[in-house]
Every structure is written in C-alpha cells, then in structure tokens.
C-alpha cells in the first residue's frame, strides 16, 4: 500500500485499522514506510506531516499517540477494542474513583471537560500541570480518553503561519460519541485478542514480541 495524499492516508487507516505513523519496529508497517521519501519535509510539497492535520480534523479515524507512546491512526472498527483493552473497561471517572488514576491525569481530564478542545499550551495552563505533563498527556491518549482533534499553526505579526503545527486535544467521547465504549461488553482480554489477530493478519512475518509492543 502506498500513501501519497490526505485521501490515501485516511483510506489506509480505515482499511488497515491500525497504523503507526513513524517506524514501528515492524518492517514496512507505518505511514513512514508506506510514503515515498520525496513527500517528507520537501520544500513546497505537502507530505504526511501536513496530511495528518486534515485527517485528524475530519474525525473519521482517530489520530493520537496510540502505539508504544508514539503517534498513529486507528479506524473506528478497532478503536473501541483499543479503548476497551487500554482502559480495562473503565471510564475515567470510575478509574479515578477506584484509585487507578493520578491527580495529574484527572487535572487534564477536568480541564478538557470544562474548556476543551485545547491546544497543548492551553491545556497545560488550564490543568495547572507542569511537571510530568507530557507523560500524562501521552498516557491519556494511549488509554483512548484523549485524542487529537486537529492542528493549528502559530502566526507571525503579519498573520503568516509558521512552525510545525500545534495539536489540539479533546476528550475521545466528545469527538467520537459513544464509539470508544462500544466494546465495553467484551472482556478486555477479548479486545486484546482481536487487536493482536488483526496485527497478525497485517504483518504475518513480524515477531510476536514486536506486535505486542504496539498494543500493550
């Protein structure tokens, strides 16, 4: 499969179901591997870095740090199982009440609940979390409580965009409705098995340990 634009990136995510953005430890299995080198950071040419912004904003597939703490895409066919497994069947409030979430994670969730969607710097300020902020934000994305809703460029005094684009985050349920909870009726172990079976189908020659790293 070759990726050469916004449509093909979104289609690849929907067809594969699970798709790491950067090199994943599984040969050939990432947006980076599937996109011709000429599209990466070339002057005057949009590439995956720009395409992901449009895909995230469309909301047809999830884009966030989803695989081993790194960015990736997940279709709505498999996102419920990823959420069920990673959350162990817990909504965040229940996780907090059972003492399974720390106060920094709760501060980020509370800030998004009240003010979201927020850019990274806005979320840091609204939550009051500084130390450990990036780790908390990554963990909440991995647990499928938080997702990226789009990107925005900073602008200079003349209104011209610059930089790499800043991610805007929101609660997954606010973006995807009840979809993240659709697999709650399944045991999280069953969701894990469904995810692993899909990865085995996609990457039959990959080492089992490398596939497990993507999901755990």
């Amino acid at each position: 499969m070759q990726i050469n634009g916004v449509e093909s990136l979104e289609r690849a995510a929907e067809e594969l179901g699970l798709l790491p953005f950067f090199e994943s430890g599984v040969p050939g299995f990432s947006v980076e591997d599937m996109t011709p080198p000429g599209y990466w950071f070339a002057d005057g040419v949009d590439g995956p870095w720009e395409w992901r912004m449009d895909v995230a904003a469309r909301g047809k597939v999830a884009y966030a740090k989803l695989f081993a703490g790194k960015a990736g895409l997940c279709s709505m066919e498999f996102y419920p199982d990823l959420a069920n497994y990673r959350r162990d069947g817990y909504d965040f409030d229940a996780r907090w009440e059972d003492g399974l979430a720390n106060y920094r994670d709760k501060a980020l969730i509370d800030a998004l609940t009240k003010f979201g969607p927020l850019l990274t710097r806005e979320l840091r300020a609204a939550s009051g979390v500084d130390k450990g902020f990036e780790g908390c934000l990554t963990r909440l994305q991995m647990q499928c409580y938080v997702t990226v809703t789009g990107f925005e460029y900073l602008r200079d005094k003349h209104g011209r965009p610059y930089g790499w684009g800043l991610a805007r985050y929101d609660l997954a349920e606010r973006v995807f409705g009840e979809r993240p909870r659709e697999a709650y009726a399944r045991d999280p172990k069953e969701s894990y098995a469904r995810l692993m079976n899909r990865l085995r189908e996609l990457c039959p020659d990959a080492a089992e340990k490398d596939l497990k790293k993507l999901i755990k």
Side-chain angles (χ1 to χ4, degrees), residues 18 77-78 81 183 186-201:
L18 305 163
E77 179 180 356
F78 289 96
D81 280 303
R186 286 194 276 272
D187 186 290
K189 292 180 180 178
E190 183 183 349
S191 284
Y192 175 78
R194 289 167 62 89
L195 294 165
M196 286 299 298
N197 287 339
R198 180 55 177 163
L199 287 178
R200 293 185 190 109
E201 290 175 0

mmCIF file of all heavy atoms in Angstrom, residues 18 77-78 81 183 186-201:
data_model
loop_
_atom_site.group_PDB
_atom_site.id
_atom_site.type_symbol
_atom_site.label_atom_id
_atom_site.label_comp_id
_atom_site.label_asym_id
_atom_site.label_seq_id
_atom_site.Cartn_x
_atom_site.Cartn_y
_atom_site.Cartn_z
ATOM 1 N N LEU A 18 -5.287 -0.373 12.070
ATOM 2 C CA LEU A 18 -4.242 0.052 13.000
ATOM 3 C C LEU A 18 -3.034 0.458 12.165
ATOM 4 O O LEU A 18 -2.547 -0.335 11.354
ATOM 5 C CB LEU A 18 -3.864 -1.084 13.946
ATOM 6 C CG LEU A 18 -5.027 -1.710 14.733
ATOM 7 C CD1 LEU A 18 -4.616 -3.055 15.302
ATOM 8 C CD2 LEU A 18 -5.474 -0.779 15.851
ATOM 9 N N GLU A 77 -13.412 0.924 13.475
ATOM 10 C CA GLU A 77 -13.682 -0.500 13.646
ATOM 11 C C GLU A 77 -12.890 -1.062 14.826
ATOM 12 O O GLU A 77 -13.392 -1.923 15.566
ATOM 13 C CB GLU A 77 -13.327 -1.266 12.369
ATOM 14 C CG GLU A 77 -13.567 -2.771 12.489
ATOM 15 C CD GLU A 77 -13.205 -3.534 11.225
ATOM 16 O OE1 GLU A 77 -12.828 -2.891 10.220
ATOM 17 O OE2 GLU A 77 -13.306 -4.785 11.243
ATOM 18 N N PHE A 78 -11.659 -0.580 14.997
ATOM 19 C CA PHE A 78 -10.788 -1.140 16.025
ATOM 20 C C PHE A 78 -10.566 -0.227 17.223
ATOM 21 O O PHE A 78 -10.090 -0.683 18.269
ATOM 22 C CB PHE A 78 -9.442 -1.535 15.407
ATOM 23 C CG PHE A 78 -9.538 -2.741 14.525
ATOM 24 C CD1 PHE A 78 -9.676 -2.593 13.148
ATOM 25 C CD2 PHE A 78 -9.539 -4.013 15.053
ATOM 26 C CE1 PHE A 78 -9.791 -3.695 12.328
ATOM 27 C CE2 PHE A 78 -9.656 -5.128 14.240
ATOM 28 C CZ PHE A 78 -9.786 -4.970 12.872
ATOM 29 N N ASP A 81 -12.122 -1.459 20.548
ATOM 30 C CA ASP A 81 -11.374 -2.529 21.201
ATOM 31 C C ASP A 81 -10.084 -2.007 21.817
ATOM 32 O O ASP A 81 -9.683 -2.452 22.898
ATOM 33 C CB ASP A 81 -11.058 -3.652 20.213
ATOM 34 C CG ASP A 81 -12.242 -4.587 20.003
ATOM 35 O OD1 ASP A 81 -12.731 -5.150 20.996
ATOM 36 O OD2 ASP A 81 -12.689 -4.728 18.859
ATOM 37 N N ALA A 183 -17.111 -1.428 22.770
ATOM 38 C CA ALA A 183 -16.611 -2.777 23.051
ATOM 39 C C ALA A 183 -16.636 -3.112 24.543
ATOM 40 O O ALA A 183 -16.118 -4.153 24.949
ATOM 41 C CB ALA A 183 -15.191 -2.939 22.505
ATOM 42 N N ARG A 186 -17.403 -6.550 25.862
ATOM 43 C CA ARG A 186 -16.410 -7.607 25.750
ATOM 44 C C ARG A 186 -15.422 -7.538 26.912
ATOM 45 O O ARG A 186 -15.137 -6.460 27.433
ATOM 46 C CB ARG A 186 -15.626 -7.483 24.435
ATOM 47 C CG ARG A 186 -16.413 -7.907 23.223
ATOM 48 C CD ARG A 186 -15.497 -8.099 22.034
ATOM 49 N NE ARG A 186 -15.218 -6.876 21.328
ATOM 50 C CZ ARG A 186 -15.973 -6.396 20.340
ATOM 51 N NH1 ARG A 186 -17.068 -7.028 19.976
ATOM 52 N NH2 ARG A 186 -15.640 -5.276 19.723
ATOM 53 N N ASP A 187 -14.894 -8.686 27.277
ATOM 54 C CA ASP A 187 -13.805 -8.710 28.236
ATOM 55 C C ASP A 187 -12.592 -8.022 27.589
ATOM 56 O O ASP A 187 -12.333 -8.232 26.397
ATOM 57 C CB ASP A 187 -13.459 -10.154 28.595
ATOM 58 C CG ASP A 187 -12.429 -10.256 29.699
ATOM 59 O OD1 ASP A 187 -11.254 -9.914 29.448
ATOM 60 O OD2 ASP A 187 -12.799 -10.680 30.811
ATOM 61 N N PRO A 188 -11.856 -7.189 28.326
ATOM 62 C CA PRO A 188 -10.678 -6.542 27.740
ATOM 63 C C PRO A 188 -9.699 -7.532 27.121
ATOM 64 O O PRO A 188 -9.027 -7.208 26.133
ATOM 65 C CB PRO A 188 -10.058 -5.805 28.930
ATOM 66 C CG PRO A 188 -11.234 -5.477 29.801
ATOM 67 C CD PRO A 188 -12.141 -6.672 29.685
ATOM 68 N N LYS A 189 -9.617 -8.745 27.652
ATOM 69 C CA LYS A 189 -8.736 -9.749 27.076
ATOM 70 C C LYS A 189 -9.211 -10.153 25.680
ATOM 71 O O LYS A 189 -8.396 -10.458 24.807
ATOM 72 C CB LYS A 189 -8.671 -10.977 27.989
ATOM 73 C CG LYS A 189 -7.969 -10.718 29.319
ATOM 74 C CD LYS A 189 -7.936 -11.980 30.165
ATOM 75 C CE LYS A 189 -7.250 -11.730 31.490
ATOM 76 N NZ LYS A 189 -7.249 -12.943 32.353
ATOM 77 N N GLU A 190 -10.529 -10.165 25.480
ATOM 78 C CA GLU A 190 -11.061 -10.474 24.153
ATOM 79 C C GLU A 190 -10.707 -9.363 23.174
ATOM 80 O O GLU A 190 -10.358 -9.622 22.018
ATOM 81 C CB GLU A 190 -12.575 -10.671 24.210
ATOM 82 C CG GLU A 190 -13.191 -11.055 22.878
ATOM 83 C CD GLU A 190 -14.705 -11.185 22.928
ATOM 84 O OE1 GLU A 190 -15.265 -11.180 24.038
ATOM 85 O OE2 GLU A 190 -15.304 -11.286 21.836
ATOM 86 N N SER A 191 -10.803 -8.113 23.645
ATOM 87 C CA SER A 191 -10.413 -6.989 22.788
ATOM 88 C C SER A 191 -8.940 -7.070 22.417
ATOM 89 O O SER A 191 -8.562 -6.818 21.268
ATOM 90 C CB SER A 191 -10.704 -5.663 23.501
ATOM 91 O OG SER A 191 -12.091 -5.376 23.481
ATOM 92 N N TYR A 192 -8.100 -7.438 23.378
ATOM 93 C CA TYR A 192 -6.678 -7.598 23.109
ATOM 94 C C TYR A 192 -6.459 -8.674 22.038
ATOM 95 O O TYR A 192 -5.666 -8.481 21.103
ATOM 96 C CB TYR A 192 -5.948 -7.977 24.397
ATOM 97 C CG TYR A 192 -4.481 -8.286 24.214
ATOM 98 C CD1 TYR A 192 -3.545 -7.263 24.066
ATOM 99 C CD2 TYR A 192 -4.031 -9.605 24.175
ATOM 100 C CE1 TYR A 192 -2.202 -7.541 23.898
ATOM 101 C CE2 TYR A 192 -2.680 -9.897 24.002
ATOM 102 C CZ TYR A 192 -1.775 -8.865 23.865
ATOM 103 O OH TYR A 192 -0.439 -9.151 23.693
ATOM 104 N N ALA A 193 -7.169 -9.773 22.152
ATOM 105 C CA ALA A 193 -7.032 -10.848 21.178
ATOM 106 C C ALA A 193 -7.462 -10.392 19.783
ATOM 107 O O ALA A 193 -6.815 -10.740 18.779
ATOM 108 C CB ALA A 193 -7.856 -12.058 21.619
ATOM 109 N N ARG A 194 -8.529 -9.619 19.703
ATOM 110 C CA ARG A 194 -8.999 -9.118 18.412
ATOM 111 C C ARG A 194 -7.944 -8.203 17.778
ATOM 112 O O ARG A 194 -7.695 -8.260 16.564
ATOM 113 C CB ARG A 194 -10.316 -8.359 18.591
ATOM 114 C CG ARG A 194 -11.512 -9.268 18.908
ATOM 115 C CD ARG A 194 -12.713 -8.449 19.392
ATOM 116 N NE ARG A 194 -13.188 -7.522 18.383
ATOM 117 C CZ ARG A 194 -14.093 -7.802 17.454
ATOM 118 N NH1 ARG A 194 -14.621 -9.016 17.403
ATOM 119 N NH2 ARG A 194 -14.478 -6.895 16.594
ATOM 120 N N LEU A 195 -7.324 -7.350 18.586
ATOM 121 C CA LEU A 195 -6.302 -6.443 18.091
ATOM 122 C C LEU A 195 -5.065 -7.212 17.622
ATOM 123 O O LEU A 195 -4.513 -6.940 16.554
ATOM 124 C CB LEU A 195 -5.915 -5.445 19.184
ATOM 125 C CG LEU A 195 -7.014 -4.466 19.598
ATOM 126 C CD1 LEU A 195 -6.654 -3.792 20.913
ATOM 127 C CD2 LEU A 195 -7.258 -3.411 18.523
ATOM 128 N N MET A 196 -4.644 -8.174 18.422
ATOM 129 C CA MET A 196 -3.474 -8.962 18.045
ATOM 130 C C MET A 196 -3.738 -9.786 16.796
ATOM 131 O O MET A 196 -2.856 -9.907 15.927
ATOM 132 C CB MET A 196 -3.068 -9.867 19.209
ATOM 133 C CG MET A 196 -2.387 -9.140 20.357
ATOM 134 S SD MET A 196 -0.828 -8.335 19.845
ATOM 135 C CE MET A 196 0.149 -9.762 19.336
ATOM 136 N N ASN A 197 -4.928 -10.328 16.673
ATOM 137 C CA ASN A 197 -5.252 -11.098 15.469
ATOM 138 C C ASN A 197 -5.203 -10.224 14.227
ATOM 139 O O ASN A 197 -4.746 -10.667 13.157
ATOM 140 C CB ASN A 197 -6.632 -11.749 15.613
ATOM 141 C CG ASN A 197 -6.630 -12.919 16.568
ATOM 142 O OD1 ASN A 197 -5.587 -13.518 16.838
ATOM 143 N ND2 ASN A 197 -7.798 -13.260 17.094
ATOM 144 N N ARG A 198 -5.670 -8.989 14.367
ATOM 145 C CA ARG A 198 -5.616 -8.079 13.229
ATOM 146 C C ARG A 198 -4.170 -7.763 12.854
ATOM 147 O O ARG A 198 -3.813 -7.755 11.663
ATOM 148 C CB ARG A 198 -6.365 -6.784 13.556
ATOM 149 C CG ARG A 198 -6.373 -5.766 12.411
ATOM 150 C CD ARG A 198 -6.920 -6.370 11.146
ATOM 151 N NE ARG A 198 -6.997 -5.404 10.063
ATOM 152 C CZ ARG A 198 -7.122 -5.734 8.777
ATOM 153 N NH1 ARG A 198 -7.188 -7.011 8.433
ATOM 154 N NH2 ARG A 198 -7.189 -4.804 7.860
ATOM 155 N N LEU A 199 -3.327 -7.532 13.843
ATOM 156 C CA LEU A 199 -1.921 -7.254 13.553
ATOM 157 C C LEU A 199 -1.239 -8.452 12.914
ATOM 158 O O LEU A 199 -0.409 -8.298 12.016
ATOM 159 C CB LEU A 199 -1.190 -6.860 14.842
ATOM 160 C CG LEU A 199 -1.513 -5.470 15.396
ATOM 161 C CD1 LEU A 199 -0.751 -5.232 16.691
ATOM 162 C CD2 LEU A 199 -1.162 -4.374 14.379
ATOM 163 N N ARG A 200 -1.589 -9.637 13.355
ATOM 164 C CA ARG A 200 -1.010 -10.847 12.743
ATOM 165 C C ARG A 200 -1.429 -10.977 11.284
ATOM 166 O O ARG A 200 -0.651 -11.424 10.440
ATOM 167 C CB ARG A 200 -1.430 -12.089 13.530
ATOM 168 C CG ARG A 200 -0.844 -12.161 14.938
ATOM 169 C CD ARG A 200 -1.199 -13.473 15.614
ATOM 170 N NE ARG A 200 -0.857 -13.467 17.019
ATOM 171 C CZ ARG A 200 -1.755 -13.420 18.010
ATOM 172 N NH1 ARG A 200 -3.059 -13.387 17.732
ATOM 173 N NH2 ARG A 200 -1.360 -13.420 19.268
ATOM 174 N N GLU A 201 -2.677 -10.612 10.986
ATOM 175 C CA GLU A 201 -3.148 -10.632 9.598
ATOM 176 C C GLU A 201 -2.364 -9.643 8.742
ATOM 177 O O GLU A 201 -2.003 -9.949 7.599
ATOM 178 C CB GLU A 201 -4.636 -10.271 9.539
ATOM 179 C CG GLU A 201 -5.582 -11.316 10.111
ATOM 180 C CD GLU A 201 -7.016 -10.820 10.122
ATOM 181 O OE1 GLU A 201 -7.239 -9.666 9.688
ATOM 182 O OE2 GLU A 201 -7.907 -11.568 10.559
#
